[in-house]
Amino acid sequence: MSLAGRIARVAIRSEACFARPHLLRSSAQLHAFSSNAGEGSTSRERFRERIRDLRSNGTPEIVFGLTLLGLLAADRFVQSQQRNGRDEVVRMLEREVRAAVDERSGATGSFPPETADQPRLFRCAVRRAPENFDGTKCLRGVREGDVVDVLEEGVGPGNAYNLCRVCKEGTNDDLLIGWFPMTCLEKLPQ
């Protein structure tokens, strides 16, 4: 290639670089431009030019944004792990407190012991067991399909509960007494 052609090519690249620096994309193009255009340019100047190009295309902002998003995601993960740990500890403490209350009050709960000896009025089948049914006078530990003895009707708030007794496996062992919602019971024929 002739000398005039080389000068024209360098002039076109120089014009492209100063008019539109974003057109120089690859480091090979930048290196070719640096070696042809500047006589005596040092590696430090080339490095500064590369940094200038990176600043002009938004790379620092992108890196900063991705770093910030990564930190936020890691913080969110750590917070959820801590929350799960706290929730598990609270559930464990609630279970222990409930067990201690049950142990202290015995099988009849907060009812007098003679309540266990009352005659039954009728029997009912449990059709639905409420999820959050854990008051101090509630009948706990029953499932759908269990049969309970009703000792009293219309007790509790709004007379919406029956006083029920459950004997496990037809014996008086593991006797449970408590209120159970009438809406969750179905009367069995006698």
Side-chain angles (χ1 to χ4, degrees):
M1 184 179 255
S2 69
L3 181 61
R6 288 178 110 181
I7 292 174
R9 199 170 79 207
V10 168
I12 291 172
R13 278 195 182 161
S14 305
E15 225 177 273
C17 179
F18 293 118
R20 295 173 289 203
H22 61 278
L23 292 177
L24 289 178
R25 301 253 180 214
S26 70
S27 60
Q29 287 176 337
L30 181 61
H31 180 69
F33 173 72
S34 305
S35 62
N36 289 339
E39 296 174 9
S41 63
T42 65
S43 63
R44 181 177 252 170
E45 290 173 3
R46 283 185 287 202
F47 179 73
R48 285 183 183 163
E49 287 178 21
R50 288 181 185 162
I51 295 295
R52 213 174 297 126
D53 284 344
L54 288 177
R55 284 185 187 161
S56 69
N57 69 7
T59 301
E61 290 84 4
I62 292 171
V63 169
F64 177 74
L66 289 175
T67 304
L68 188 61
L69 283 175
L71 288 173
L72 288 174
D75 183 53
R76 186 105 164 151
F77 175 75
V78 168
Q79 284 180 356
S80 71
Q81 292 296 324
Q82 288 174 344
R83 189 177 314 115
N84 291 343
R86 280 193 304 261
D87 291 347
E88 183 59 36
V89 168
V90 167
R91 280 193 295 273
M92 183 180 68
L93 289 174
E94 286 175 347
R95 281 192 304 265
E96 288 179 8
V97 166
R98 214 175 282 137
V101 167
D102 288 347
E103 182 180 309
R104 188 183 68 221
S105 63
T108 59
S110 56
F111 298 100
E114 55 270 4
T115 307
D117 298 330
Q118 283 183 342
R120 76 171 183 233
L121 300 175
F122 54 89
R123 297 188 99 171
C124 286
V126 176
R127 291 295 161 219
R128 185 173 54 91
E131 284 183 33
N132 298 324
F133 192 61
D134 61 352
T136 56
K137 294 191 174 202
C138 298
L139 181 62
R140 286 179 250 146
V142 293
R143 296 185 180 142
E144 290 182 28
D146 287 351
V147 177
V148 297
D149 297 332
V150 176
L151 307 177
E152 281 183 58
E153 282 188 281
V155 296
N159 297 329
Y161 299 89
N162 286 340
L163 179 62
C164 299
R165 170 180 59 205
V166 177
C167 296
K168 300 292 181 182
E169 299 176 16
T171 66
N172 279 343
D173 295 339
D174 298 328
L175 178 73
L176 299 172
I177 296 177
W179 293 345
F180 205 79
M182 288 186 207
T183 57
C184 298
L185 296 172
E186 181 180 319
K187 194 171 186 176
L188 296 176
Q190 292 196 6

